[in-house]
Amino acid sequence: MNTPARIFAMLVWLGGLAVAGSIILTITASRVGEHKSSTYGNAYVQFQNSWGGEIGIIPPEFSLQRTYTETQFNSVSEQYEDVVKTEQIALVPKSVKIDSNVNYGEQERDFLVFNAFQAQNTDTYVIVNKTNYSGELLVKLTKPENANLMYDYTIALPSQGNHIVRPEMGKAIVLMPKMSVGEDVEITITYATKGMDVFKYNLSAYQNNVIESLQAQIKLNTNEFEIYRFGLPHDTETTSSGATIQFNVDDFSTTQDLGITFMSKQRYLDQIQSLMNYSPVSLILFLVVIFFFSQIYAIKFNAFHYLFIAMIDVFYYLFVAYLVRYFNIIPTFGISIALTAVMFLVYCPNVLGWRFASRVAGVYLFLLTVIFSLIFLMPIFRGLMFVILIFLIFISIMIFVSRSDISKWPIMNKN
């Protein structure tokens, strides 16, 4: 086989390996995360349907319903008649006070761990009748987002002798038969629910109104949490057994929701999915590196060995993609690196020689797996660091190729 044919055959072989490996990695990337078709995603959906999902408390809607008489002309009887009509006028709370106790406790399903919690809540609203009418005070309750269970649900009016009202979801119910003009009423709503990952109060429901006062307190039995939206003013007190978060805002209108998220064992899934989307780049570069440096250093081996060399890189990313569902991020990378190192050590030194394997193949494999992965776990500068890594790898190849005599490369010679 002449030189052009050998080069073409090698390019086809390496290209085929790169395409096949990229297909495997792309399919794996599509199964990372909360997709129902994946092992983790199926367990996630089942747990969510049983326990509850990301909880979003929807504020109650208060309104004043007045009944009045209006004189209208009846075209049939050709005379004026009195017609009784009703009108509902929305009432915005003067103040909102939220008191939540969130008990975090991991729950396990199918060997997977989920960030479950139970929340007991007491929400207090002060409603003032600023209209020019008196009438019935109504409230409409909406089931929290993704909540499968609500219990210990009560509505009390302390100013009305602690009168208890039976709550009904999705339907306006009467809290007071008559609310006078200018009268203010304190309403206390208590309830408990279960969920996972996120617990928040949908303050954004008041984005078109100005609330005079918000006081919110969330007590937790863990320190492993984050503020759902850090833009809202808050103070956090932490102890060895938990934390207390205080939110105090006056005369506010916001599009942000108030709440917390838990540091999840699956919180890196988005980064891992992004890593897997770019993992074919790692495979292609690793094959390019092995090809060029094996030619530069005149390392002769059968082209079939490229298959197993490529699989070392592929298996590293497969390990990461599937182990992250069962372990935290550090054990995931530790196990993946260890298993990849075993594959590398039992194969590459025998094919490439210890000197080339340790000084070239091993170094670039480390850069294109471990360092490549760490870039996608960084909170910022991912794109910049990715470009820098690719740049450095290409620069190193260019330097060695420029100093090499291409005519002496093994692929350029018959023997």
Side-chain angles (χ1 to χ4, degrees):
M1 184 181 294
N2 56 33
T3 298
R6 285 199 304 274
I7 296 176
F8 179 76
M10 180 61 73
L11 292 176
V12 171
W13 173 237
L14 293 179
L17 291 176
V19 170
S22 298
I23 291 174
I24 294 173
L25 294 173
T26 301
I27 293 175
T28 304
S30 68
R31 293 176 60 82
V32 175
E34 299 169 6
H35 306 289
K36 193 171 183 178
S37 61
S38 71
T39 303
Y40 171 76
N42 185 55
Y44 183 96
V45 170
Q46 290 184 30
F47 183 83
Q48 185 184 54
N49 291 337
S50 300
W51 184 273
E54 298 181 355
I55 299 299
I57 304 300
I58 301 174
E61 300 176 22
F62 298 98
S63 61
L64 181 79
Q65 180 171 280
R66 73 183 186 99
T67 302
Y68 62 98
T69 302
E70 185 178 276
T71 302
Q72 291 183 346
F73 180 77
N74 190 325
S75 59
V76 177
S77 61
E78 296 184 348
Q79 60 183 355
Y80 286 93
E81 298 178 350
D82 291 334
V83 179
V84 178
K85 292 188 175 183
T86 60
E87 178 186 13
Q88 286 190 10
I89 304 172
L91 298 178
V92 179
K94 175 184 177 181
S95 65
V96 179
K97 183 179 181 181
I98 302 169
D99 191 358
S100 300
N101 287 307
V102 181
N103 294 314
Y104 170 83
E106 294 179 344
Q107 297 287 327
E108 184 175 311
R109 182 182 179 89
D110 297 338
F111 301 104
L112 297 172
V113 178
F114 299 96
N115 296 303
F117 62 82
Q118 300 183 57
Q120 291 80 36
N121 306 279
T122 300
D123 301 339
T124 304
Y125 303 88
V126 175
I127 306 298
V128 180
N129 183 3
K130 296 182 179 180
T131 70
N132 297 320
Y133 313 101
S134 61
E136 294 179 323
L137 176 60
L138 307 180
V139 64
K140 180 180 179 182
L141 303 173
T142 304
K143 183 179 74 69
E145 298 171 352
N146 304 313
N148 294 334
L149 175 65
M150 300 289 292
Y151 56 99
D152 296 338
Y153 211 134
T154 62
I155 303 176
L157 284 75
S159 61
Q160 304 296 313
N162 212 30
H163 175 59
I164 303 296
V165 180
R166 183 178 180 83
E168 294 184 44
M169 293 295 178
K171 177 182 177 181
I173 58 176
V174 178
L175 294 179
M176 292 174 56
K178 183 178 181 181
M179 186 179 189
S180 303
V181 177
E183 183 178 1
D184 61 85
V185 179
E186 182 179 292
I187 303 162
T188 301
I189 302 177
T190 60
Y191 54 93
T193 187
K194 298 179 178 181
M196 61 187 294
D197 291 338
V198 175
F199 175 76
K200 65 185 179 73
Y201 187 94
N202 293 357
L203 281 181
S204 56
Y206 297 125
Q207 61 182 293
N208 296 323
N209 308 104
V210 176
I211 308 298
E212 291 186 21
S213 174
L214 167 69
Q215 294 180 350
Q217 176 178 268
I218 302 177
K219 294 181 179 179
L220 301 110
N221 64 338
T222 178
N223 290 318
E224 295 185 348
F225 69 91
E226 294 177 349
I227 302 298
Y228 181 72
R229 291 288 185 267
F230 61 84
L232 292 173
H234 64 275
D235 296 309
T236 303
E237 297 180 7
T238 59
T239 64
S240 58
S241 60
T244 300
I245 310 167
Q246 300 275 358
F247 298 86
N248 291 284
V249 187
D250 294 328
D251 300 318
F252 78 94
S253 175
T254 181
T255 59
Q256 295 191 2
D257 296 331
L258 178 155
I260 54 172
T261 64
F262 292 104
M263 295 181 180
S264 166
K265 290 181 181 297
Q266 287 78 38
R267 69 191 175 104
Y268 290 102
L269 282 179
D270 289 341
Q271 291 94 322
I272 296 301
Q273 187 168 22
S274 180
L275 169 65
M276 292 303 300
N277 288 334
Y278 283 89
S279 58
V281 176
S282 169
L283 172 62
I284 294 171
L285 286 177
F286 188 57
L287 289 174
V288 169
V289 164
I290 297 300
F291 171 74
F292 277 107
F293 280 98
S294 64
Q295 298 300 315
I296 293 170
Y297 287 101
I299 306 298
K300 297 181 180 181
F301 57 90
N302 193 291
F304 185 76
H305 289 296
Y306 277 108
L307 170 63
F308 297 100
I309 292 173
M311 291 310 297
I312 295 173
D313 184 279
V314 171
F315 267 104
Y316 167 81
Y317 290 101
L318 295 181
F319 292 145
V320 170
Y322 285 96
L323 289 176
V324 75
R325 300 166 182 169
Y326 301 93
F327 302 99
N328 206 336
I329 194 68
I330 295 177
T332 292
F333 279 109
I335 296 172
S336 301
I337 292 170
L339 294 174
T340 304
V342 170
M343 293 182 68
F344 178 83
L345 292 174
V346 300
Y347 192 79
C348 287
N350 297 327
V351 175
L352 305 174
W354 275 102
R355 184 181 179 87
F356 185 85
S358 60
R359 295 189 176 185
V360 178
V363 172
Y364 280 94
L365 180 64
F366 180 80
L367 291 174
L368 291 170
T369 53
V370 179
I371 302 302
F372 194 91
S373 301
L374 292 177
I375 287 175
F376 285 88
L377 296 180
M378 296 180 64
I380 56 175
F381 302 129
R382 292 182 195 172
L384 176 61
M385 296 304 296
F386 177 78
V387 171
I388 291 176
L389 177 63
I390 303 302
F391 172 77
L392 292 177
I393 290 174
F394 269 103
I395 281 292
S396 64
I397 295 174
M398 292 168 62
I399 291 174
F400 281 92
V401 169
S402 66
R403 296 176 178 178
S404 172
D405 187 352
I406 298 178
S407 62
K408 295 182 180 180
W409 285 7
I411 198 171
M412 304 298 293
N413 299 289
K414 292 183 180 181
N415 298 325

